[in-house]
Amino acid sequence: MLFTSTIRVASRRVASNSRRLLSSSATKTASSQDAARKLAPYFAAATVAFGATQLSVNKNISQAEKPVDSDCQALLEQNSSKFAQYWPRNILILFGPPGAGKGTHGPKVEELLGIPQLSTGDMLRAAVAAQTEVGKKAQAVMKAGGLVSDDIVVGIIRDRIKEEDCKLGFILDGFPRTLAQAKALDTMLAEEGARVTKVVELHVPDEVLEERICGRWIHKKSGRSYHVKYAPPKSMEKDSDGKPKPETMLDDETNEPLIQRPDDTATALVKRLSSYHGETVPILEHYNPNGIVKQVNANQGMTGVWKEVLGALSR
């Protein structure tokens, strides 16, 4: 309790000291460096313990009229790297059935914490395109019509999380899907001196999901998702039966055509939900004894869901 209180105080000092440091355009180099030395330890602790604080400070820095002194910036980066090495990284697993809202709230969590959301599919395609050793193995399996093994997927994740943007943590979306994958992930993270720190489940009753799924359209290149009822594209027009005209379903940003995935049908949804419940519950039970599993009621308005997500992410 005392440690947590200390970190919170440090977090507030970060914001306070940052504003004083950035608001004074007439600050001399010597005094700027002295302020940096006082600020750095607090910043490093708050960076790891409170991702939102880190993001706020970064935004303040980017919006300042005057750039931060180079020595100050170097100290911040040095301490951030030190604490990233010796403190546990923030490793989050985001669970939810099809249509639960992972595509809506995942990017918001990513922005809040300042850590990347890693999609298994995206990582697999990137590894194949880069022709990494693991990527070549995956490509060979897929060309032969087989399923990529858990060992290959874990290998792809191992390579990806070594990149600079994963230094302070990352969010896993779409993996693990089975208990065996969860155990393989745990073993791999243990080798890195890390562990899963939070599991967030977006919970929605099965009977609510059909409307969400069957009305969903996506922009293939970016992954942006739309819904004919809840989040229609600006270009959408309906026919005489009240159904959207496919030719008018265009991405708001690029004006490129949207698509519906083949498995976004009522028939396919039954199979997908059966698979989700059969594979997910054991994973949640696996992590539950660690006290890191948090359930969010995703069957409510977006504001309410996000409020619960924030509560689940809090330490």
Side-chain angles (χ1 to χ4, degrees):
M1 183 66 70
L2 177 60
F3 176 75
T4 302
S5 176
T6 302
I7 291 299
R8 287 174 178 161
V9 171
S11 177
R12 289 194 292 269
R13 289 181 180 177
V14 170
S16 176
N17 289 337
S18 294
R19 285 192 294 269
R20 286 198 293 269
L21 180 62
L22 296 174
S23 62
S24 177
S25 59
T27 301
K28 295 181 180 181
T29 302
S31 60
S32 175
Q33 291 175 347
D34 181 63
R37 294 189 191 96
K38 296 177 180 178
L39 171 62
Y42 298 126
F43 179 88
T47 293
V48 181
F50 294 93
T53 301
Q54 176 212 5
L55 180 63
S56 176
V57 173
N58 287 341
K59 284 184 176 179
N60 286 338
I61 292 174
S62 65
Q63 294 170 359
E65 294 181 1
K66 296 288 185 178
V68 179
D69 181 273
S70 59
D71 289 340
C72 174
Q73 185 64 34
L75 281 170
L76 297 180
E77 292 178 357
Q78 177 184 351
N79 281 274
S80 177
S81 297
K82 179 175 66 176
F83 278 82
Q85 179 179 356
Y86 295 109
W87 286 37
R89 284 187 291 179
N90 193 1
I91 300 175
L92 168 69
I93 299 178
L94 188 61
F95 277 117
K102 297 191 299 297
T104 298
H105 296 286
K108 293 163 67 176
V109 175
E110 181 179 32
E111 180 180 1
L112 173 72
L113 300 182
I115 57 178
Q117 181 177 359
L118 306 182
S119 165
T120 306
D122 291 343
M123 286 188 290
L124 183 60
R125 287 186 287 272
V128 171
Q131 287 294 284
T132 64
E133 183 178 348
V134 179
K136 290 178 181 178
K137 292 179 180 178
Q139 185 177 37
V141 172
M142 290 187 292
K143 282 185 176 180
L147 295 175
V148 179
S149 69
D150 293 348
D151 288 343
I152 291 178
V153 175
V154 169
I156 289 173
I157 294 174
R158 179 184 286 109
D159 289 345
R160 176 65 180 87
I161 66 175
K162 291 179 180 178
E163 297 182 21
E164 181 68 17
D165 63 340
C166 293
K167 183 171 61 175
L168 296 179
F170 51 89
I171 305 164
L172 287 174
D173 177 11
F175 188 90
R177 292 183 182 273
T178 66
L179 182 57
Q181 290 179 349
K183 291 181 178 179
L185 174 66
D186 290 346
T187 299
M188 185 271 288
L189 291 177
E191 294 171 356
E192 303 285 332
R195 62 180 178 83
V196 175
T197 56
K198 189 80 69 174
V199 177
V200 177
E201 179 199 8
L202 299 178
H203 181 75
V204 181
D206 290 359
E207 58 269 19
V208 176
L209 294 172
E210 182 174 342
E211 181 182 52
R212 291 190 181 186
I213 290 295
C214 297
R216 184 166 64 182
W217 291 68
I218 64 169
H219 181 239
K220 188 174 182 179
K221 290 182 180 179
S222 68
R224 282 186 291 273
S225 61
Y226 298 84
H227 194 280
V228 296
K229 180 179 179 180
Y230 303 110
K234 298 175 182 178
S235 59
M236 186 182 78
E237 297 179 8
K238 295 182 178 180
D239 59 23
S240 57
D241 295 326
K243 296 181 179 179
K245 298 179 180 179
E247 66 273 15
T248 68
M249 300 298 285
L250 306 174
D251 179 52
D252 287 347
E253 295 189 18
T254 66
N255 210 39
E256 294 174 341
L258 303 177
I259 65 169
Q260 279 192 297
R261 296 189 303 193
D263 55 356
D264 281 352
T265 65
T267 302
L269 179 61
V270 174
K271 296 180 179 178
R272 295 174 69 189
L273 287 177
S274 176
S275 175
Y276 174 78
H277 290 304
E279 296 173 351
T280 301
V281 171
I283 296 174
L284 296 177
E285 292 176 347
H286 170 69
Y287 287 115
N288 197 52
N290 298 336
I292 60 174
V293 177
K294 305 293 180 181
Q295 186 181 89
V296 169
N297 174 19
N299 185 28
Q300 58 179 315
M302 288 179 58
T303 301
V305 176
W306 181 239
K307 183 179 179 179
E308 289 198 25
V309 169
L310 290 176
L313 294 175
S314 298
R315 292 181 183 268

